[in-house]
Amino acid sequence: MSRLSSRHLLGLEETPQEDIMLILETSNSFREVLERQVKKVPTLRGVTVLNLFYENSTRTRISFELAEKRLSADTINFSTSTSSVKKGESLRDTVQNIEAMKLDMVVVRHGSTGAPYFLTQCMDANIINAGDGAHEHPTQALLDMYTIWKKYGKFAGLRVVLVGDVKHSRVIRSNIWGLKAVGASVALCGPSTLLPVEVEKFGCDVYHNIDEALDGADVVNVMRIQLERQEGGMFPSQREYTNLFGITKERLKLLNKNYTIMHPGPMNRGVEITSEVADGKNSVILDQVTNGQAVRMAVLYLLSGKKEEGDA
Amino acid sequence: MTSKKYDLAIINGRVIDPELGFGKDAHVFIKDGKIAKIEVPSSKNESELKSFDDDQIIDATGKIVVPGLIDVHVHLREPGREDAETIASGCKAAAAGGFTSVCCMPNTEPRIDNQETVKFVQDRAKVADARVYVVGAITKNIEGKQLAEIGDLVKMGCVAITDDGHYVQNPEIMRRALEYAKMFNITIMQHAEDQNLCGGGVMNESYESTRLGLKGAPAAAEEIAVLRDIALTRLVGGRLHVQHVSCKEAVDAIRSAKAEGLDVTAEATPHHLVLTDEEIGKEFNTNLRVNPPLRTLEDKEAVIAGLVDGTIDCIASDHAPHSIESKDCEFDQAPPGMIGLETTVGLIKTFIIDKGVMSWADVIRKMTSNPAKILGLPGGTLADGSDADITIIDPDKKWTVKADKFQSKSSNSPFIGMKLNGQVYKTILGGRVVFER
């Protein structure tokens, strides 16, 4: 089995296409494990993984934790909803203390861009970014991509529309880098106040009109509108956002026949997506969750530096 | 034998004094802490020098001898943050960087908005290795709400007023400040960034902030702030000095204000002349977090152009020490600011003079006589009878910036590891050598 070119997964901007494809291919074998009676392999036996979460997270943390347990790793969780600075202990001290406990890998979620990089500078463990600020969330993008790849068997020629708050979304950023690396066509759509400056330099098509964005697209990945981030008046009202950008059944007609609806969750039903669409036959939202485990198992395995053990 | 006529001679250096229009190999003679005379080498002074003891002569062959450098924008942190810098350590850093005069900013704890704190700083500075000129606050506690007792501050010797670190957000307050300061004929130094537009921003708003997902502070926040203050200066008069100009639009605004004849001056920092926002994403080095933020290449070039054409009058370091502890954190959690006193000469030589952008004489003018004129300070020249504040620079000394070599108590410099060409050799304050290598 070949290896990744880096011993950390900090983001997809710097991850080469070969690494991305290797992760997706490896995810296939772990996806198969999840269908077994006994959903556990001994691959990471003896490896200790820390889930270091400085922001609230339900599904990403549980998904990582399950992935680790299914690989037979020893896992510990460290969760706090405040930043290290506010807590009084510096991030460096926190991680060095943790490293002194002989950790092998750290999965980190942090509100500050670059915090996973900071960790690589103060400890030897493999670092996996589980979301840093509005910067990157590489495993979410990889599971989105895996879900697309499983369905279509390819990326070339596919048009993927990412809808929502581009400015504050790390999921969108990682999806942009990953999808572009593997040759998909990427379009962004959201209110102009939620598109960051010089967004066109990402090299994607940018739309303010959802109907134009959806026209002829294959995949729609709908981002959660973070209502708690909108006090600044980024758009006038939730109602207006829904009218202008909500994914409704009527709008699905604009898509290609074999379209796919995705959402990284948690959903605001009736805001960015209607229940009809979220629960419709082309929705793969729950598949994304299942695939997320397989992808995270693959990432953990590929970064662990462990030789393949067992039959994963 | 000992010379009784002079105390010290700096011989055979290239003496550059833009104010005097002097630029020749010459000897500088010092007596009683003052410049006694400057002469080109001759048989007369050759024999005169024979009467000097060895320790009365500084051989500056191959070196550049200039008036002691003046930095109008320095944070000495005392009182309040003596863990980051003290007046003594900041002045040692100044001396090591070739600066004999520094203007200290009032955002200490407590703020320099009252006579007692001015007095405290002045007393501490009496024994320091540089002259310290105190800049008082514009508003009480730098809150932007109510004018500080500016008359008192001036009476105590404050050379200017500023709320540096904060923009005087309320235009009515700024108008009153400009009007009131006119009575005392002092300059208002403004940190020009509209907080309503850039609040919370941790880097320049550009594709870089978009890519990194960091909150951006747009250049327009600086442009708006500068344009507003220019409008107020047009309305009521007064003297406006724009601190750390960082973007093209601000340079353009200041250029046209000057053309109009308004009393507006400006400074640029070495970091805005050398770095861009593209550095930040490489390693998230918290020492690159600074206000106003590092901007784009286009902005950097515009600031350089402004320096060249005279729109920007002086170079100021905005020396802003922060403890290791406070900078050893996530990028967006770090306090803004970087130290600059000890790297300014090397950076300007390497990135401005060596690149052929400006001559030594033009650069030295912006670090001596120009800043002196802006704030009405003594010094900035080697004219006979002036204080013997002299900086000797080794123009081709190659060196690497190292964290453990700073005289400053802090080492928050993004230039650590950088190779520079040109270094301060000796610094003389009132005829006394305060720094030598």
Side-chain angles (χ1 to χ4, degrees):
Chain A
M1 168 89 52
S2 50
R3 316 299 311 183
L4 298 174
S5 58
S6 168
R7 53 186 297 268
H8 308 294
L9 179 64
L10 302 183
L12 294 190
E13 184 178 2
E14 63 269 21
T15 302
Q17 183 199 2
E18 307 77 66
D19 283 12
I20 292 173
M21 291 315 298
L22 175 60
I23 293 168
L24 300 189
E25 280 155 16
T26 309
S27 302
N28 256 338
S29 30
F30 289 112
R31 185 67 185 78
E32 182 266 317
V33 171
L34 296 177
E35 300 301 329
R36 295 184 195 167
Q37 195 73 35
V38 177
K39 301 173 183 59
K40 188 157 181 162
V41 289
T43 315
L44 292 193
R45 200 161 48 198
V47 174
T48 313
V49 186
L50 167 70
N51 299 308
L52 180 62
F53 278 66
Y54 279 98
E55 274 187 349
N56 293 325
S57 161
T58 308
R59 72 197 59 211
T60 301
R61 192 176 60 73
I62 288 175
S63 178
F64 265 110
E65 201 177 337
L66 265 174
E68 292 150 10
K69 289 190 190 310
R70 294 193 196 289
L71 290 169
S72 305
D74 297 315
T75 72
I76 45 171
N77 296 315
F78 181 108
S79 298
T80 167
S81 55
T82 52
S83 85
S84 55
V85 169
K86 291 187 186 94
K87 197 158 54 76
E89 184 178 45
S90 77
L91 183 57
R92 182 185 299 276
D93 281 339
T94 305
V95 298
Q96 284 179 344
N97 268 283
I98 290 164
E99 170 128 294
M101 298 176 201
K102 302 294 177 197
L103 280 238
D104 301 300
M105 309 183 85
V106 176
V107 175
V108 60
R109 156 78 55 102
H110 198 292
S112 294
T113 290
Y117 175 83
F118 185 89
L119 259 57
T120 67
Q121 301 302 296
C122 44
M123 65 195 303
D124 286 331
N126 307 101
I127 307 298
I128 299 171
N129 182 3
D132 63 328
H135 182 217
E136 287 236 35
H137 190 354
T139 58
Q140 176 67 46
L142 286 166
L143 76 87
D144 292 344
M145 292 169 70
Y146 178 75
T147 305
I148 294 169
W149 187 61
K150 281 293 275 183
K151 172 161 175 182
Y152 296 96
K154 61 167 187 175
F155 289 106
L158 289 182
R159 184 162 179 78
V160 182
V161 187
L162 306 166
V163 184
D165 181 353
V166 179
K167 194 171 200 161
H168 300 110
S169 175
R170 52 194 171 209
V171 176
I172 287 185
R173 280 176 181 74
S174 289
N175 261 285
I176 291 170
W177 301 125
L179 288 165
K180 280 168 59 76
V182 297
S185 150
V186 185
L188 304 173
C189 185
S192 45
T193 47
L194 293 179
L195 295 173
V197 297
E198 301 185 59
V199 65
E200 65 284 353
K201 287 197 183 167
F202 278 131
C204 306
D205 298 323
V206 180
Y207 297 91
H208 305 303
N209 181 313
I210 190 68
D211 294 335
E212 287 173 21
L214 297 184
D215 192 17
D218 301 288
V219 179
V220 186
N221 199 345
V222 189
M223 300 297 144
R224 189 171 86 91
I225 275 298
Q226 291 170 298
L227 297 168
E228 68 276 11
R229 278 220 170 108
Q230 308 309 331
E231 307 98 41
M234 295 302 222
F235 49 85
S237 66
Q238 190 176 303
R239 181 182 155 274
E240 182 150 306
Y241 182 87
T242 303
N243 287 341
L244 291 173
F245 298 98
I247 305 300
T248 58
K249 199 174 166 196
E250 297 73 58
R251 286 184 166 140
L252 298 180
K253 293 181 188 121
L254 297 159
L255 298 169
N256 284 344
K257 195 155 167 279
N258 189 24
Y259 70 88
T260 302
I261 298 295
M262 306 178 78
H263 193 302
M267 281 187 280
N268 298 302
R269 286 174 182 262
V271 181
E272 70 263 3
I273 189 167
T274 63
S275 284
E276 255 183 326
V277 175
D279 303 332
K281 65 178 174 47
N282 291 52
S283 166
V284 294
I285 292 170
L286 293 175
D287 296 333
Q288 285 174 269
V289 178
T290 314
N291 292 341
Q293 273 188 56
V295 168
R296 290 180 172 120
M297 288 166 82
V299 168
L300 285 158
Y301 160 65
L302 288 168
L303 289 177
S304 70
K306 293 275 286 184
K307 288 267 180 288
E308 199 167 7
E309 277 179 53
D311 54 355
Chain B
M1 213 163 52
T2 304
S3 170
K4 302 255 188 310
K5 201 169 171 199
Y6 302 105
D7 298 328
L8 188 66
I10 301 162
I11 63 166
N12 292 322
R14 177 85 176 167
V15 179
I16 299 174
D17 183 338
E19 188 62 10
L20 295 176
F22 192 90
K24 291 187 194 122
D25 287 349
H27 306 320
V28 180
F29 293 84
I30 296 161
K31 174 69 175 169
D32 294 334
K34 308 278 184 194
I35 306 282
K37 63 176 181 179
I38 300 175
E39 288 180 351
V40 295
S42 67
S43 52
K44 179 173 163 286
N45 54 39
E46 192 70 25
S47 59
E48 201 167 29
L49 285 168
K50 290 208 173 90
S51 70
F52 279 62
D53 283 345
D54 282 353
D55 64 1
Q56 287 184 300
I57 291 179
I58 293 171
D59 183 359
T61 306
K63 311 287 195 292
I64 289 175
V65 179
V66 300
L69 306 178
I70 299 173
D71 191 338
V72 298
H73 192 156
V74 168
H75 297 268
L76 294 179
R77 298 292 186 230
E78 188 180 0
R81 287 310 298 265
E82 294 84 355
D83 59 326
E85 195 80 286
T86 61
I87 291 163
S89 68
C91 288
K92 275 194 197 308
F99 293 92
T100 53
S101 294
V102 296
C103 298
C104 66
M105 296 295 114
N107 61 340
T108 49
E109 298 164 22
R111 312 300 202 184
I112 307 179
D113 63 354
N114 59 81
Q115 295 190 61
E116 292 73 19
T117 315
V118 178
K119 182 78 168 48
F120 171 87
V121 173
Q122 288 168 336
D123 284 348
R124 287 290 165 107
K126 275 178 191 158
V127 291
D129 289 339
R131 297 179 204 278
V132 176
Y133 296 99
V134 182
V135 178
I138 300 171
T139 66
K140 282 186 181 147
N141 208 28
I142 311 194
E143 284 171 353
K145 292 179 182 151
Q146 201 181 350
L147 292 184
E149 289 170 326
I150 296 166
D152 263 9
L153 294 172
V154 173
K155 194 168 82 186
M156 284 303 292
C158 283
V159 296
I161 49 172
T162 184
D163 275 4
D164 181 42
H166 296 269
Y167 179 57
V168 179
Q169 189 69 45
N170 183 331
E172 169 72 5
I173 300 284
M174 183 61 182
R175 176 211 168 125
R176 297 294 170 225
L178 281 163
E179 283 178 326
Y180 198 74
K182 277 200 295 183
M183 284 199 299
F184 311 103
N185 198 28
I186 59 164
T187 299
I188 296 192
M189 305 170 80
Q190 178 78 285
H191 178 128
E193 276 191 295
D194 189 306
Q195 290 302 314
N196 291 333
L197 189 54
C198 72
V202 297
M203 68 177 292
N204 183 42
E205 183 174 285
S206 68
Y207 176 62
E208 287 303 303
S209 62
T210 289
R211 191 173 72 82
L212 300 172
L214 284 167
K215 183 147 172 31
E222 182 174 335
E223 180 190 6
I224 289 167
V226 170
L227 285 169
R228 185 205 74 176
D229 286 350
I230 288 170
L232 292 174
T233 307
R234 186 184 295 121
L235 180 68
V236 301
R239 288 220 306 264
L240 175 71
H241 175 78
V242 184
Q243 299 181 291
H244 39 47
V245 175
S246 73
C247 68
K248 179 179 182 297
E249 294 76 12
V251 175
D252 291 344
I254 294 161
R255 186 179 290 120
S256 74
K258 286 188 160 188
E260 193 186 326
L262 298 177
D263 203 346
V264 176
T265 55
E267 71 190 33
T269 70
H271 49 271
H272 289 117
L273 294 167
V274 170
L275 300 172
T276 68
D277 57 2
E278 290 180 21
E279 297 297 318
I280 291 164
K282 292 178 184 168
E283 296 186 316
F284 303 102
N285 182 347
T286 53
N287 293 331
L288 292 164
R289 167 132 162 66
V290 65
N291 288 341
L294 302 173
R295 307 270 190 205
T296 64
L297 181 62
E298 192 190 2
D299 289 313
K300 185 183 93 165
E301 286 173 350
V303 175
I304 292 172
L307 192 69
V308 171
D309 73 14
T311 301
I312 293 169
D313 305 87
C314 66
I315 296 166
S317 71
D318 190 7
H319 179 80
H322 289 289
S323 66
I324 290 172
E325 294 82 1
S326 64
K327 280 283 196 180
D328 186 25
C329 61
E330 302 84 331
F331 185 82
D332 57 2
Q333 303 289 322
M338 61 179 80
I339 57 169
L341 283 167
E342 294 170 76
T343 46
T344 295
V345 166
L347 289 167
I348 296 299
K349 170 62 167 47
T350 308
F351 291 95
I352 299 295
I353 297 174
D354 285 352
K355 305 255 185 223
V357 177
M358 290 173 80
S359 67
W360 268 114
D362 289 341
V363 161
I364 293 304
R365 185 189 303 280
K366 289 180 190 286
M367 298 174 77
T368 56
S369 52
N370 277 8
K373 283 175 194 166
I374 290 169
L375 298 187
L377 309 178
T381 176
L382 299 173
D384 293 356
S386 33
D387 286 327
D389 293 358
I390 302 165
T391 302
I392 308 175
I393 298 166
D394 188 342
D396 293 311
K397 178 69 190 293
K398 294 188 171 45
W399 61 293
T400 303
V401 183
K402 295 209 169 103
D404 59 358
K405 297 285 187 210
F406 288 121
Q407 298 294 316
S408 169
K409 275 187 93 168
S410 293
S411 57
N412 54 308
S413 168
F415 301 109
I416 290 165
M418 190 180 267
K419 290 183 169 56
L420 297 178
N421 186 33
Q423 190 178 40
V424 172
Y425 175 65
K426 283 183 201 303
T427 306
I428 294 157
L429 180 71
R432 176 172 66 97
V433 177
V434 287
F435 175 81
E436 59 187 331
R437 226 176 278 280

